[in-house]
């Protein structure tokens, strides 16, 4: 996975909590934090500086998905939420909450039904009721569709953190 990110796997990897990463690496760092639950088949990547969206860049997603599957979610602070499903270098589905349109791509059928089921796309009644954030709905959809689960306490703690080189992003 480190090679897919363009990171030399032989380098020493620092461990930071989310509040420490930006302090040590800066707000505009292209650093990511890695989390792998011992019994899971997935590795989770979190932007150390969420406003950068490094993990969601198409070039990073395509490289990471070589020979495997990648699911990505990114939210710009209190703004839009974006989702992507990439398999073996191809964007299978991509969605942006800003447009309120279903996911597009070569095979969005795995993502669209579950996005609709959790209420990701606002309906006529949604203006009357307070809706959960698009980020919360996106995560719920990914958890349901792909069986993802993140231990919130583990993610709050120190995680291996690497800087993605500019050429990889």
């Amino acid at each position: 996975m480190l090679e897919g990110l363009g990171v030399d796997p032989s380098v020493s990897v620092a461990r930071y909590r989310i509040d420490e990463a930006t302090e040590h690496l800066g707000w505009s760092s292209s650093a990511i934090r890695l989390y792998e639950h011992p019994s899971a088949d997935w590795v989770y990547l979190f932007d150390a500086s969420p406003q950068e969206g490094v993990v969601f860049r198409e070039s990073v997603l395509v490289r990471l998905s070589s020979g495997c599957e990648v699911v990505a979610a990114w939210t710009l602070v209190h703004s839009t939420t974006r989702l992507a499903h990439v398999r073996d270098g191809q964007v299978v589905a991509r969605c942006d909450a800003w447009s309120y349109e279903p996911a597009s791509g070569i095979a969005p059928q795995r993502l669209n039904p579950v996005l609709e089921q959790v209420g990701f796309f606002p309906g006529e009644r949604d203006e009357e009721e307070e809706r959960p954030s698009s980020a919360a709905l996106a995560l719920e959809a990914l958890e349901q569709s792909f069986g993802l689960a993140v231990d919130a306490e583990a993610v709050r703690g120190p995680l291996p953190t690497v800087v993605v080189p500019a050429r990889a992003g």
Side-chain angles (χ1 to χ4, degrees), residues 40 81 127 157:
T81 299
E127 291 182 20

mmCIF file of all heavy atoms in Angstrom, residues 40 81 127 157:
data_model
loop_
_atom_site.group_PDB
_atom_site.id
_atom_site.type_symbol
_atom_site.label_atom_id
_atom_site.label_comp_id
_atom_site.label_asym_id
_atom_site.label_seq_id
_atom_site.Cartn_x
_atom_site.Cartn_y
_atom_site.Cartn_z
ATOM 1 N N ALA A 40 -9.850 -7.184 10.109
ATOM 2 C CA ALA A 40 -10.534 -6.643 8.924
ATOM 3 C C ALA A 40 -9.730 -6.904 7.659
ATOM 4 O O ALA A 40 -8.514 -7.090 7.698
ATOM 5 C CB ALA A 40 -10.763 -5.147 9.088
ATOM 6 N N THR A 81 -19.628 16.533 0.534
ATOM 7 C CA THR A 81 -19.093 15.196 0.780
ATOM 8 C C THR A 81 -18.980 14.488 -0.556
ATOM 9 O O THR A 81 -19.891 14.546 -1.372
ATOM 10 C CB THR A 81 -20.024 14.389 1.713
ATOM 11 O OG1 THR A 81 -20.110 15.067 2.963
ATOM 12 C CG2 THR A 81 -19.502 12.980 1.934
ATOM 13 N N GLU A 127 -36.569 19.264 3.721
ATOM 14 C CA GLU A 127 -36.441 20.661 4.139
ATOM 15 C C GLU A 127 -37.191 20.916 5.441
ATOM 16 O O GLU A 127 -36.808 21.764 6.230
ATOM 17 C CB GLU A 127 -36.937 21.588 3.036
ATOM 18 C CG GLU A 127 -36.018 21.586 1.833
ATOM 19 C CD GLU A 127 -36.483 22.538 0.757
ATOM 20 O OE1 GLU A 127 -37.271 23.453 1.061
ATOM 21 O OE2 GLU A 127 -36.071 22.348 -0.394
ATOM 22 N N GLY A 157 -6.442 7.647 18.552
ATOM 23 C CA GLY A 157 -5.086 7.454 19.063
ATOM 24 C C GLY A 157 -4.041 7.640 17.984
ATOM 25 O O GLY A 157 -4.345 7.937 16.827
#
